[in-house]
Amino acid sequence: MRVDDYHNPQPPFLSNLPMKGAEMPFYDRKRELLILDDLYGRPGGQMLVLYGRRRIGKTALLMAAERGREDLARRLISAGADVNLASVEEVTPLMAACYGGHVGLVRLLLAAGAHTEPLDRMHRTAAVYAAGQGHAEVLAALLEHGVTIDAAYAHGLTALMWAAGEGHAEAVHLLLARGARVDLRDDRGLTAAQIARDAGHAPLADELTVAR
């Protein structure tokens, strides 16, 4: 990591930082989270780079979201971390929390202003990750926040299609109960029932077929 945005005049609290272009310590993900925990536990003022991204392009908040660290995420958000700053792969903290099924963290991020519509480089949203991983509670939180239940993403796939294709019955049942349409088709002309059947989830496909 390099200090590329150093500006003069130098405020007193920056007096001990490296000058522009100087190398700064690099730690792995586990070590970084331990350091953050330690800093937050110390008395007195501490300086923390909230918007900096590691060599792999991940902020501290994104790493906390990936690990389900709601406690650390809450501290970072309280300190002013940008909840929508994505990695170089365009993955947001909300996407990471949805993928991991961390519903408490998802609710925290949404309350802090996390956007639900961004796409990562795989053209997937937070809702796609929640559905694809079968996290029904997370899907419920997203729907309560206003995510459109029948929104079509890459290749015309809806959240219901993602859940059905992965065989996640609980997520499928949640989406059906909330009114998801079963007649929509992806860019291959397949419905959620057909996608489920092609993926080897016959019982779920049967449920979807009769859910009219």
Side-chain angles (χ1 to χ4, degrees), residues 35-183:
I35 289 171
L36 287 171
D37 273 339
D38 179 60
L39 286 174
Y40 275 117
R42 293 182 187 180
Q46 296 289 335
M47 179 180 172
L48 178 65
V49 180
L50 292 170
Y51 304 115
R53 290 189 283 201
R54 309 169 75 241
R55 289 178 182 175
I56 56 175
K58 294 181 179 180
T59 64
L61 181 57
L62 176 53
M63 290 188 291
E66 288 179 330
R67 298 173 68 89
R69 290 292 306 276
E70 185 177 346
D71 57 336
L72 182 54
R74 189 178 301 278
R75 292 173 179 177
L76 289 166
I77 292 170
S78 295
D82 184 348
V83 297
N84 291 303
L85 186 58
S87 71
V88 294
E89 298 294 332
E90 301 301 328
V91 174
T92 66
L94 182 62
M95 291 177 191
C98 287
Y99 181 89
H102 308 301
V103 65
L105 189 47
V106 168
R107 293 185 186 280
L108 173 66
L109 291 166
L110 290 173
H115 300 155
T116 59
E117 66 276 4
L119 299 169
D120 67 5
R121 288 192 179 180
M122 298 293 290
H123 304 288
R124 297 173 182 173
T125 65
V128 165
Y129 283 113
Q133 295 300 308
H135 299 309
E137 281 190 280
V138 172
L139 279 171
L142 293 172
L143 293 173
E144 290 164 9
H145 195 72
V147 169
T148 302
I149 194 168
D150 289 320
Y153 304 105
H155 302 293
L157 294 166
T158 65
L160 181 63
M161 293 174 187
W162 271 100
E166 297 295 334
H168 297 307
E170 186 180 0
V172 167
H173 295 160
L174 179 280
L175 290 165
L176 290 176
R178 297 295 180 92
R181 290 177 56 183
V182 297
D183 61 319

Side-chain angles (χ1 to χ4, degrees), residues 1-22:
M1 184 182 300
R2 302 184 69 85
V3 182
D4 295 322
D5 296 319
Y6 178 84
H7 299 291
N8 283 318
Q10 182 174 326
F13 62 88
L14 295 180
S15 58
N16 294 321
L17 286 183
M19 297 297 288
K20 179 179 180 179

